[in-house]
């Protein structure tokens, strides 16, 4: 989380920094700041709130500067805690978490140094000042060696006005060379105009001085290959849509079509096929929406391939000393490929002998470096914090993998069943404006419940997550049969309950739960592909899905739920693209 940027070159730095920060805002947006170097000193401009608050900073003079957009971890979102942080001759921006900052801060305070913020990051500037004796790179290496945790750093020193220093451990950082100078950034779109891009790896450093870029590892200077971008680095635009979330929902059919695996054409198929043949057990590790796609995948894989699957929240997996039997395949699912918990879980599984396949949407992301194999969802860049098309793309890819695994195990599984999904999703999308009328029903509710059984439970979980993260309404996803074991106590007159029902064999069971809700005054919205239940007397409103292979139905049933969250968020006056307290890529623990 947090986005950082740096520029050194022929042009004024401030407008470039602010432009880059706008493109990094998906990483955090509770405060922002820039620093430039001009006439022997730093000028720092920071504000609480979004990058748009930095307008006044555009006039800061200087050809070298750094910038930051923050997602607060240590210290409240405030101007005081906003980056850049300066001490002595140094000013810096940091993305990551310094886990041992408290003892380090004590050490610095013991020397009489005074801190200006409550952040973990400021201690880095103090250590740099302490260790610097004329060789900034050496000071940066010594400082990095003292830090526990994760960091992507951009540093300026008063003694070297046009030079930027960068360091990375477990937080993404790229370096670019453009026509007008050199750049550092957390992600490609911030510096999309650069002609050459380089990924900094853990433990590496970079020194940028105008056009001159040098890279260093622990042992000394190193040469780096330029990044091979799968597609041209795009700068996302909303186009005709009011929000990125809405635009990205409309990209779902393409995301599904592009992510369905054509195994015959996939160059890594033969290697993966060997792994699939040897797989006895699958563990899926992921967070948030990606975790929900893991739950849907479990249903499909177990049903088609009869291989047991566990799905574990990555932050739990990494601390539970997991058992990794022979023949374990770990699927690490992450849209961004940068989620710290998922990376750590995958690393742990790998160290215990599992084969790791990463499922990610971002080429060159950290997870692609550590996995044995990578399968890319091809959803295109996703900007809205609330994941939509990337979820549908993950499902498309994981369903394809379930089919491939079944075939590798000699079971019957027909890939043709996947083919209609893009067109069906198009049909569903065309109906989602209905949710505009449903949203007002949720506005004043104290809480909303989402229920479903089997594969429908996964859609219920994801629908609930979408709603809570962008509308701020308390919401829970529940297995429909579990409601009566406690949660039903919370249902009273008018409580909205969204029931997902696409599994024919479970239909009557889910309808029991619907009736129990309705009998207590709850108002049920039924999302189903079984038209006979739409007019059931316990159903308040319904949304009819087109028929599709039941096992794959979450890829469709989630779409009206995404739309419901979107319209509810709007009706509550929120910005659906940038929900409070959240960020798109969670690179801290
Ligand atoms: O990039 P990842 O898929 O690893 O991200 C995992 C979660 O942080 C993410 O899905 C989060 O839950 C979304 N905001 C949900 O909309």
């Amino acid at each position: 989380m947090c986005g950082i940027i740096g520029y050194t070159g022929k042009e004024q730095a401030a407008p470039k920094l602010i432009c880059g920060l706008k493109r990094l805002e998906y990483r955090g947006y509770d405060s922002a700041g820039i620093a430039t170097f001009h006439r022997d000193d730093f000028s720092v401009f920071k504000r609480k709130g979004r990058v748009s608050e930095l307008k006044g900073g555009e006039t800061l003079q200087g050809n070298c500067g750094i910038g930051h957009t923050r997602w607060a971890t240590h210290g409240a979102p405030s101007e005081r805690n906003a980056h850049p942080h300066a001490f002595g001759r140094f000013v810096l921006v940091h993305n990551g978490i310094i886990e041992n900052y408290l003892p380090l801060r004590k050490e610095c305070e013991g020397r009489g140094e005074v801190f200006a913020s409550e952040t973990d990051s400021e201690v880095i500037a103090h250590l740099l000042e302490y260790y610097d004796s004329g060789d900034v790179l050496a000071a940066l290496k010594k400082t990095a060696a003292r830090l526990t945790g994760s960091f992507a750093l951009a540093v300026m020193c008063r003694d070297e006005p046009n030079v930027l220093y960068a360091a990375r451990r477990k937080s993404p950082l790229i370096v670019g060379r453009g026509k007008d100078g050199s750049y550092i950034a957390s992600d490609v779109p911030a510096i999309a105009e650069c002609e050459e891009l380089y990924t900094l790896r853990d433990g590496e450093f970079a020194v940028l001085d105008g056009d001159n870029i040098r890279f260093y590892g622990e042992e000394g200077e190193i040469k780096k290959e330029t990044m091979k971008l799968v597609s041209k680095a795009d700068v996302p635009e909303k186009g005709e849509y009011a929000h990125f979330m809405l635009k990205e929902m409309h990209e779902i059919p393409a995301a599904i079509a592009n992510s369905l695996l054509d195994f015959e054409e996939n160059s890594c198929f033969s290697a993966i096929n060997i792994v699939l043949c040897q797989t006895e057990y699958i563990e899926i590790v992921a967070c948030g929406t990606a975790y929900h796609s893991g739950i849907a995948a479990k249903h499909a894989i177990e049903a088609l391939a009869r291989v047991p699957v566990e799905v574990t929240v990555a932050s739990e997996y990494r601390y539970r000393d997991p058992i990794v039997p022979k023949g374990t395949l770990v699927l690490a699912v992450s849209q961004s490929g940068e989620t710290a918990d998922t990376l750590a879980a995958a690393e742990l599984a790998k160290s215990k002998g599992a084969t790791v396949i990463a499922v990610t949407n971002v080429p060159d992301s950290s997870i692609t470096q550590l996995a044995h194999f990578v399968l890319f969802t091809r959803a295109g860049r996703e900007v809205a914090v609330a994941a939509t098309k990337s979820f549908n793309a993950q499902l498309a890819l994981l369903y394809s993998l379930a089919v491939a695994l079944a075939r590798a195990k000699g079971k019957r599984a027909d890939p043709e069943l996947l083919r209609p999904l893009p067109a069906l999703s198009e049909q569903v999308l065309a109906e989602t404006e209905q949710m505009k009328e449903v949203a007002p029903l949720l506005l004043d509710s104290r809480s909303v419940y989402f229920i479903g059984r089997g594969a429908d439970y996964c859609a219920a979980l994801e629908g609930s997550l979408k709603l809570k993260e962008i509308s701020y309404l308390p919401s829970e996803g529940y297995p429909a049969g579990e409601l009566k074991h406690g949660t039903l106590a919370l249902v009273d007159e008018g409580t909205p309950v969204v029931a997902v029902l696409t599994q024919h064999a479970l239909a009557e069971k889910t309808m029991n739960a619907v009736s129990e809700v309705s009998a207590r005054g709850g108002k049920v919205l039924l999302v189903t592909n079984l038209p006979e239940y739409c007019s059931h007397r316990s159903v308040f409103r319904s949304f009819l899905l087109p028929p599709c292979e039941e096992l794959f139905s979450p890829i469709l049933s989630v779409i009206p739920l995404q739309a419901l969250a979107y319209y509810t968020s709007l009706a509550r006056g929120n910005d659906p693209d940038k929900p409070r307290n959240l960020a798109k890529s969670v690179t801290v623990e």
Side-chain angles (χ1 to χ4, degrees):
M1 344 267 289
C2 303
I4 70 172
I5 185 152
Y7 168 75
T8 172
K10 300 180 197 116
E11 311 274 329
Q12 287 296 307
K16 289 183 179 294
L17 298 174
I18 293 173
C19 169
L21 287 179
K22 281 186 188 147
R23 298 179 191 171
L24 289 174
E25 216 176 7
Y26 71 91
R27 305 179 65 86
Y29 34 80
D30 59 43
S31 62
I34 57 170
T36 57
F37 193 86
H38 186 57
R39 294 207 180 127
D40 303 332
D41 208 355
F42 300 124
S43 316
V44 178
F45 189 93
K46 26 191 193 179
R47 289 287 180 270
K48 183 171 182 229
R50 298 190 175 183
V51 176
S52 53
E53 301 297 322
L54 291 182
K55 236 185 217 147
E58 262 157 15
T59 54
L60 250 57
Q61 297 294 300
N63 302 76
C64 182
I66 52 179
H68 189 272
T69 178
R70 181 169 186 244
W71 183 81
T73 57
H74 297 68
S78 63
E79 198 166 308
R80 177 174 171 232
N81 290 329
H83 296 220
H85 292 291
F87 185 73
R89 284 156 300 153
F90 290 91
V91 63
L92 61 85
V93 288
H94 166 224
N95 169 32
I97 288 186
I98 305 307
E99 290 166 359
N100 60 339
Y101 83 103
L102 279 175
L104 291 175
R105 184 170 170 142
K106 247 190 202 149
E107 178 186 314
C108 299
E109 284 170 340
R111 291 194 287 265
E113 296 169 14
V114 177
F115 278 70
S117 76
E118 303 152 288
T119 64
D120 54 333
S121 313
E122 192 187 343
V123 75
I124 306 170
H126 285 249
L127 289 178
L128 283 166
E129 179 68 19
Y130 177 70
Y131 284 118
D132 182 39
S133 51
D135 180 346
V136 175
L137 183 61
L140 187 55
K141 285 186 173 178
K142 282 184 190 154
T143 299
R146 298 289 316 278
L147 306 175
T148 310
S150 56
F151 52 80
L153 288 171
V155 177
M156 291 198 291
C157 175
R158 193 174 282 145
D159 301 338
E160 300 177 44
N162 293 314
V163 184
L164 286 179
Y165 288 85
R168 171 194 160 140
R169 186 197 297 157
K170 292 186 176 169
S171 293
L173 197 57
I174 52 167
V175 173
R177 185 183 279 113
K179 283 200 180 77
D180 50 6
S182 304
Y183 296 78
I184 302 168
S186 298
D187 198 0
V188 175
I191 54 174
E193 288 79 11
C194 282
E195 283 137 8
E196 288 170 31
L197 292 173
Y198 302 87
T199 308
L200 220 59
R201 304 271 176 238
D202 285 350
E204 291 180 352
F205 301 85
V207 182
L208 292 73
D209 186 353
D211 287 341
N212 187 9
I213 304 175
R214 281 166 294 142
F215 297 101
Y216 297 85
E218 280 309 320
E219 304 300 325
E221 191 163 354
I222 53 172
K223 290 266 165 276
K224 284 188 86 70
E225 298 270 308
T226 52
M227 247 164 101
K228 287 183 194 64
L229 289 174
V230 170
S231 58
K232 193 180 161 339
D234 56 325
V235 179
E237 301 285 348
K238 278 190 281 212
E240 68 197 80
Y241 295 95
H243 297 97
F244 278 110
M245 183 176 173
L246 190 63
K247 175 175 182 258
E248 287 160 5
M249 283 175 55
H250 281 84
E251 290 167 350
I252 286 172
I256 295 176
N258 295 338
S259 304
L260 286 173
L261 280 187
D262 188 341
F263 276 84
E264 271 68 41
E265 277 187 16
N266 192 313
S267 57
C268 62
F269 170 65
S270 46
I272 284 185
N273 198 41
I274 295 169
V275 174
L276 297 184
C277 290
Q278 292 166 348
T279 296
E280 300 297 330
Y281 166 66
I282 295 179
E283 185 104 41
I284 301 179
V285 293
C287 304
T289 289
Y291 169 72
H292 297 155
S293 69
I295 294 178
K298 173 184 164 74
H299 282 278
I301 294 171
E302 290 188 341
L304 294 175
R306 304 306 293 156
V307 172
V309 182
E310 283 306 318
V311 193
T312 310
V313 167
S315 54
E316 291 294 317
Y317 184 87
R318 64 185 291 192
Y319 291 116
R320 80 161 193 222
D321 192 11
I323 299 165
V324 179
K326 194 163 173 283
T328 297
L329 169 64
V330 165
L331 296 174
V333 187
S334 171
Q335 186 282 131
S336 62
E338 300 293 350
T339 298
D341 288 321
T342 309
L343 290 173
E347 210 161 6
L348 177 63
K350 191 176 169 187
S351 74
K352 286 179 171 270
T355 302
V356 177
I357 297 184
V359 175
T360 184
N361 199 36
V362 182
D364 249 308
S365 56
S366 300
I367 208 153
T368 64
Q369 310 302 320
L370 76 84
H372 294 106
F373 302 98
V374 185
L375 293 173
F376 288 108
T377 50
R378 294 187 159 79
R381 179 168 286 277
E382 192 174 65
V383 176
V385 168
T388 53
K389 63 175 178 174
S390 66
F391 176 72
N392 304 74
Q394 282 163 1
L395 292 189
L397 195 149
L398 291 167
Y399 291 156
S400 313
L401 198 64
V403 171
L405 181 62
R407 285 166 25 137
K409 294 285 180 195
K411 305 266 183 325
R412 280 166 60 98
D414 185 2
E416 287 304 309
L417 293 174
L418 297 162
R419 236 179 262 284
L421 295 177
L424 292 174
S425 67
E426 189 101 53
Q427 276 181 42
V428 179
L429 262 175
E431 298 300 323
T432 48
E433 284 215 3
Q434 288 179 37
M435 290 300 157
K436 252 188 203 165
E437 292 155 34
V438 180
L441 303 176
L442 308 190
L443 284 191
D444 300 318
S445 2
R446 273 182 294 136
S447 50
V448 184
Y449 300 96
F450 289 73
I451 57 172
R453 281 175 186 261
D456 292 333
Y457 171 51
C458 141
L461 284 174
E462 179 57 10
S464 165
L465 175 63
K466 266 331 55 117
L467 185 73
K468 72 179 89 158
E469 76 177 319
I470 60 172
S471 76
Y472 316 148
L473 282 169
S475 144
E476 285 299 330
Y478 253 80
E482 186 67 8
L483 204 63
K484 58 186 176 290
H485 295 292
T487 305
L488 195 56
L490 299 174
V491 173
D492 59 8
E493 204 54 43
T495 305
V497 174
V498 180
V500 186
L501 196 175
T502 66
Q503 311 292 300
H504 203 259
L506 299 171
E508 289 302 333
K509 305 285 174 206
T510 299
M511 287 312 291
N512 286 345
V514 166
S515 299
E516 288 155 14
V517 165
S518 157
R520 276 133 190 113
K523 285 204 156 72
V524 177
L525 165 69
L526 186 72
V527 174
T528 186
N529 53 12
L530 303 171
E532 61 273 32
Y533 293 106
C534 291
S535 50
H536 191 283
R537 61 191 166 86
S538 299
V539 172
F540 181 73
R541 267 201 81 125
S542 61
F543 183 99
L544 187 62
L545 299 162
C548 102
E549 165 58 39
E550 282 187 2
L551 211 47
F552 306 144
S553 65
I555 206 169
L556 302 183
S557 57
V558 76
I559 298 172
L561 307 186
Q562 292 165 338
L564 179 62
Y566 174 75
Y567 290 119
T568 310
S569 170
L570 287 190
R572 285 173 63 93
N574 301 342
D575 177 351
D577 284 345
K578 293 199 181 88
R580 68 185 181 202
N581 306 339
L582 300 179
K584 185 70 183 159
S585 151
V586 187
T587 57
V588 295
E589 219 184 313

